[in-house]
Amino acid sequence: MLETLIKVVIYIFSAGVHLFLLFKIKSIKHSRQLHRICALNILILFLWTVQGLSNIIIDSITGYRIYYIYFFGSVCVFFLPATLIMLCILLVKNKISHIATYVLICIPPVTSTLMLVTNSYHKLFIKYISADIKTLVFGNYYYIHCTWQLIYATFAVLYLIYYSLKYTNCLTRQILLVALGIIMPIAVDYVVYLNYFSNLPISLPDSIHTLSYCFTTVCLTIAIRKYKFLDTLPIAIRSIVDYISDSFVVIDYRNNILEMNKNFKTEFGPIIKHNENDFYKVMKDDNFQNLKKHISKIKNERTHPNIRTEQEFIINNVQRYFEIEIIHVYAHEQYIAILILFRDMTEHMQVIKLMEENAKQMIEKARLISLHNLIGGISHNMKSPLMSSSGGILALKNHTRRIESLISEMNNKGEYSEYLDIIADMKKWEDSIKNYLVYMSDIITAVKEQAASMIGNQIKRFKVGELFSKISILLDFELKKSNCSLNSILNIKEDTYIEGDISSLTQILGNAVINATQAYSEGGVINLQADRKPEGVLFTIQDFGKGMPLDIKNKIFNEMVTTKGKDGSGLGLYFANIAIKSQFRGSISIESEEGKGTTVLITIPIKMID
C-alpha cells in the first residue's frame, strides 16, 4: 500500500510539473519550432504519466489493469525518442525546414504503433498477455522495437553533445540538464532491456520508469525556469557570435540576457551589474540610458529596424567612444533575439579630433600670416602719417603753451579769461589725440609682434620650473608697483618638460597675472598654480578682485574686448587663446564672478609632455 501511495504521489507531482511547463510554453509570445516540439515532448510525458496514474489507481481498486489505457501509454512512449531527436536538432539548428525530415523520423514509431494495433493478427509484438495486463510475453518484433528506440534516444544525446562541443567547445548548463534528463531514462531502458534479453538476475522496482521520467521532468524544469532554456539561442548561431571580436550582448524579447562575451565583460565590467540576467538591471549605470531608450523604442514598433549610433562612455574616469549597432537576429525568417554590438571607436575619435585640431591650427596659422602681412602693410603705410601727426601735436602743444603764457601775462584785469578757457580745452584735445595716436601705434606693433611670434615652426621645449622662475623675475617690478604678491604653487615635478616656446607661454601667463593685479584697487594676493592632470598640465591664475561682467566673459576669447577702458587693448586673452591652441594644442577657459574674482585655466595636453 505504501509503495502504491508513493507511486501515486510521484505521478501526481510529475503531472503537475508537466502542466506548469505546458502553460509556461503557451505564454511565450514569439514561439518557435523549438518551443512547439518541447511542448510536444512534455505533453507525451504528461499523457504517459496520466495513463500510468490511472492504471495504478484502477489496479489498487479492482486488482487488474485496463488494456486500452496500457495501449495508449505504450504508443506515447513509442513517439518519445522521435520527438527527442527533433528537439535536439532544433537546439542545434533552430528549424527543421522539410516535412520529409519529420516523416523519416516518425517511420519507426508509426511502424511500432501499427504493429501493436494489428498484434492480434500476427502476434509479432506481444505473444501473450494476461487478463490483468500484468504478465506479458513479447514477440520477435519487440526486439526490433527496443533496438530502434535505444538507437534513437542514444543518437539524440550524442548529436546534441557533439554539436555543442563542435560549435562552442563547451556544454552550457541548459544543454547539460537536457542531456542529463534524456540520459536517465535511456540508462534505465538499457538495464531493463539487457535484463529482459539476457535474463540477468537484476531486480528493478516497478516504479523505476516513473522515477526516471520524473527526473527528466525536474531537469527540464530547472533548465527552463532557472537557465532560460526556451530562450537560448540555437547552438549554431551561438558559434557565429563567439567569433565576433567586438563586445556584444544578446537579449531576447523579454529582456533576458542570452549571451555576453568576455570582451564586453572586460570593457564594461566596472559599470555593469554582475550576477543579474535582466538587461535593464545589468545596464543600470547612467552610461546606458540612451541605449535602453533605443531598445524600448524598437520593441514597441511592429517592424524591427537595425539601429547604429555612437555614444560616449566614462569608464574608470576615462573617456571612451563606442559605435553601437542594434541588430535583430532572425533564423529562417523568424525573429528570435537582439544582438547589441559595441565597437571601440576611441582611437578613431582621437584621430578625428587631432585632425580637426590640426585643421583649426592650419586655418588659424593662415589667418595669422594674412594678418601679419596686412598689419605689416598697414604699419608701413601708417607709421609716417602717425609720426607726422605726433610731430604736429607736439608743435601744437609748444605753441599752445607759448600762447597761454602770453595771454596769462596780458590778463591782468581778466578780460582774456575766455581765451584761457579755450586754450585749456585745446590742451585737453591735444592730450587725447596724442594718447589715441600712441594707442594706435601700440596696437599695430603688438599685433605684428604677436602674429610674428605665432607663425614660427621651430620645435622647442622647456621645464615647468624654468617657466615659473622666468615669470617671477619678469613680474617682480609689476607686482611691487601694484602692491600685489604672487603665490606660486608647483604641484608637479620641476623638471617636467613641455613642448613649445617658453617666451610665448611666459608672455601668456604673465599677461594673465598682470590682468589679475589690475583687478585689485589696493593690491592683493594672486595664485599661480601648476597641477598634473590626466589631460596634461593645468595652469591656474586666480585673483580675488572685482571680477568681470558676464557679457565680457562670454566674448573675451572671440573679440578684442577689455574691462580696462582706454588702458587696455583687449589683445591679451584674444591672442592667448590663439597661441594656446596653435602652439601648444591646449585649451584656455575663464571663470569669473563680479565681486568675487577671476580664475584663468590653461591646459597643455598630456601628449605634449615628455
Side-chain angles (χ1 to χ4, degrees), residues 19-36:
L19 283 174
F20 167 77
L21 293 177
L22 286 171
F23 281 116
K24 179 78 174 173
I25 296 171
K26 178 71 175 174
S27 66
I28 296 174
K29 292 180 181 179
H30 304 284
S31 62
R32 314 196 307 263
Q33 282 188 351
L34 172 66
H35 302 141
R36 292 189 284 273

Side-chain angles (χ1 to χ4, degrees), residues 280 288-301 307-311 324 326 328 338:
Y280 288 94
F288 296 102
Q289 288 302 319
N290 289 335
L291 175 60
K292 288 187 283 188
K293 287 178 183 177
H294 283 303
I295 297 294
S296 300
K297 182 180 177 182
I298 62 176
K299 281 192 173 183
N300 294 329
E301 297 176 355
I307 294 176
R308 182 175 292 179
T309 183
E310 292 180 1
Q311 187 176 330
I324 302 173
I326 303 171
H328 289 79
I338 295 176

Side-chain angles (χ1 to χ4, degrees), residues 162-367:
Y162 171 76
Y163 280 102
S164 294
L165 295 174
K166 178 182 178 181
Y167 286 130
T168 64
N169 294 320
C170 67
L171 294 175
T172 62
R173 293 180 179 133
Q174 300 101 317
I175 300 300
L176 278 172
L177 282 167
V178 171
L180 194 61
I182 298 172
I183 288 170
M184 182 57 73
I186 295 174
V188 171
D189 286 342
Y190 268 113
V191 174
V192 170
Y193 296 152
L194 187 64
N195 184 36
Y196 181 81
F197 293 130
S198 60
N199 295 317
L200 292 175
I202 301 174
S203 178
L204 295 172
D206 293 338
S207 59
I208 188 66
H209 278 101
T210 307
L211 289 171
S212 65
Y213 287 133
C214 183
F215 178 79
T216 301
T217 302
V218 171
C219 288
L220 276 174
T221 305
I222 296 172
I224 291 171
R225 286 286 293 170
K226 187 172 182 180
Y227 298 115
K228 311 296 179 185
F229 164 67
L230 295 177
D231 299 323
T232 189
L233 288 177
I235 294 169
I237 293 178
R238 267 182 281 159
S239 69
I240 295 171
V241 297
D242 279 345
Y243 288 101
I244 298 174
S245 59
D246 297 320
S247 303
F248 73 84
V249 177
V250 184
I251 64 172
D252 65 8
Y253 66 94
R254 290 185 294 182
N255 303 320
N256 294 315
I257 293 180
L258 305 179
E259 297 289 336
M260 180 189 296
N261 71 341
K262 291 181 181 179
N263 221 15
F264 180 84
K265 293 176 183 177
T266 303
E267 294 281 2
F268 297 93
I271 60 173
I272 62 173
K273 196 171 182 180
H274 298 272
N275 302 320
E276 288 285 353
N277 192 56
D278 186 86
F279 173 75
Y280 288 94
K281 290 181 180 178
V282 173
M283 314 292 180
K284 200 172 182 180
D285 193 88
D286 291 340
N287 280 286
F288 296 102
Q289 288 302 319
N290 289 335
L291 175 60
K292 288 187 283 188
K293 287 178 183 177
H294 283 303
I295 297 294
S296 300
K297 182 180 177 182
I298 62 176
K299 281 192 173 183
N300 294 329
E301 297 176 355
R302 291 186 179 180
T303 58
H304 299 119
N306 293 341
I307 294 176
R308 182 175 292 179
T309 183
E310 292 180 1
Q311 187 176 330
E312 174 188 336
F313 288 83
I314 305 297
I315 304 173
N316 286 336
N317 297 320
V318 177
Q319 196 175 39
R320 303 282 298 278
Y321 295 92
F322 288 88
E323 181 187 62
I324 302 173
E325 191 170 0
I326 303 171
I327 303 170
H328 289 79
V329 180
Y330 291 85
H332 304 283
E333 299 182 355
Q334 192 171 18
Y335 163 62
I336 58 174
I338 295 176
L339 172 65
I340 308 171
L341 285 171
F342 298 82
R343 295 189 182 93
D344 194 345
M345 304 286 289
T346 305
E347 290 186 9
H348 178 65
M349 293 299 292
Q350 288 174 346
V351 170
I352 289 176
K353 283 190 173 181
L354 182 60
M355 290 173 66
E356 289 176 352
E357 286 296 324
N358 287 338
K360 286 180 182 177
Q361 290 170 29
M362 289 175 67
I363 293 169
E364 205 66 53
K365 197 168 185 179
R367 193 162 67 89

Side-chain angles (χ1 to χ4, degrees), residues 453 458-462 467 498-506 583-584:
S453 66
Q458 188 177 0
I459 298 174
K460 302 176 183 177
R461 69 175 189 169
F462 56 90
L467 174 69
I498 295 178
E499 288 187 5
D501 183 12
I502 189 172
S503 299
S504 295
L505 194 53
T506 302
Q583 291 190 30
F584 300 96

